[in-house]
Amino acid sequence: MKRVVFVGSADFAVPSLRALAGAGYAVALVVTRADKPVGRGLVLSETPIKKAARDLGMSVFQPATLRKPEVLDALRDARPDVIVVAAYGRILPPEVLALPPRLPSGYYGCVNVHGSLLPKYRGAAPIQWAILNGEDETGVTIMAMDEGMDTGPVAARRALPIAPEDTAGTLAGRLAPLGARLLVETLPGLLDGSLVPRPQDHALATLAPPLKKEDGLLDWSLPSRRVVNRVRGLTPWPGAFTFLPGGARLRVWPPARVASWVPDTDALPGQVLDIRRDGMVVRSGDGAVVLEQVQPEGRRPMTPWELAAGRRVAKGDRLGTPLSSQERTP
């Protein structure tokens, strides 16, 4: 029975951990990020992988860094035949890459489950950036790891269409089990040498850098399709938002759609053209976008019609700029 050290943190990694256990691998140790405070109460929250590992009766290790000698000793004591990584959020240092025996192909014995069709979208946010950039397709990749950021040779890839209504959250929910299945299909061949990973074409690489909270601010001067893609790709985190007149933040939730008809108007990007029961029409760089669900600060999600009934927004207001109510355009 092959021994595995599993390294991961996010929801995306959970199906892969469960798949390894279900396929009969001995998961000797699960390495995940430290618990972190969340919410207004700053309550410590466990990573999804920690919760899953505990449910499976597995040992969990949460080092602040993987570089300390005592951490390397703990990993070495687990005696892994292979280290499997999925959605951990940090690059493995060379000392960790070198811990397991090398694969028969000669590559490090560390295997990664990545949420894109490498070499496209290397980095921390491949699922989000695929939607932000308007891709029609993405997928998962199993690769043998090297010292770079998702630059290792590819063992297997599997594509998945991106649905028009997909958000980063729903797409990740479909990619994660796909990656888990591909992992357990691919791992035996990597370990016995019957599958030899192939180097990536680095000339085709694109990057998927981490997203920050401030990346959620919508730019209404962008074309409508790009605005809609940002609402989708930034959900659930960091979340798309704009500003109401007066400066209050307004979260924008999916669904959002490109308006099929835009009145002939000289309105500026971000200006509210209409508020109807089926949504709020907002001027964009090349037309308009219809928002169907919004959330004022400190309130529940609601329809724009409800927001307008509370006198928080009106036709003629310009979103994205903290204008006062006296500056509304008639």
Side-chain angles (χ1 to χ4, degrees), residues 125-324:
I127 298 171
Q128 293 92 328
W129 281 105
I131 295 177
L132 292 174
N133 289 339
E135 300 282 0
D136 296 322
E137 179 185 74
T138 187
V140 290
T141 298
I142 308 299
M143 69 171 180
M145 299 177 70
D146 61 13
E147 291 87 350
M149 172 65 80
D150 302 323
T151 55
V154 170
R157 303 192 310 166
R158 188 158 294 166
L160 184 74
I162 299 176
E165 66 275 10
D166 263 326
T167 66
T170 62
L171 183 56
R174 295 194 292 127
L175 286 172
L178 182 67
R181 291 194 296 272
L182 191 59
L183 171 66
V184 296
E185 291 172 13
T186 305
L187 196 53
L190 287 172
L191 293 174
D192 67 19
S194 61
L195 176 60
V196 178
R198 295 185 177 184
Q200 297 183 39
D201 184 347
H202 301 302
L204 300 178
T206 61
L207 299 180
L211 293 166
K212 306 178 293 296
K213 286 185 178 181
E214 53 266 34
D215 292 326
L217 178 61
L218 293 174
D219 180 355
W220 295 106
S221 68
L222 293 174
S224 299
R225 177 52 58 190
R226 288 190 61 188
V227 173
V228 170
N229 288 344
R230 291 195 71 80
V231 174
R232 296 166 56 220
L234 297 169
T235 299
W237 196 91
F241 67 91
T242 188
F243 290 102
L244 291 166
R249 183 179 296 220
L250 183 71
R251 175 77 182 260
V252 178
W253 290 95
R257 66 182 190 277
V258 177
S260 58
W261 174 80
V262 181
D264 186 14
T265 175
D266 293 327
L268 297 172
Q271 198 160 355
V272 177
L273 304 180
D274 199 5
I275 301 176
R276 308 185 298 244
R277 290 191 179 274
D278 65 342
M280 177 165 60
V281 185
V282 182
R283 183 72 173 177
S284 66
D286 66 349
V289 172
V290 181
L291 309 182
E292 296 187 24
Q293 189 174 50
V294 295
Q295 184 177 7
E297 284 183 294
R299 302 287 300 279
R300 61 171 178 81
M302 62 183 65
T303 66
W305 185 265
E306 292 173 305
L307 185 71
R311 301 184 182 276
R312 301 292 296 274
V313 70
K315 181 178 178 180
D317 283 345
R318 191 178 180 197
L319 303 179
T321 304
L323 301 176
S324 70

Side-chain angles (χ1 to χ4, degrees), residues 47-62:
T47 68
I49 278 293
K50 181 179 180 179
K51 296 174 184 177
R54 192 171 58 242
D55 291 344
L56 293 166
M58 298 173 179
S59 298
V60 177
F61 186 36
Q62 295 179 275

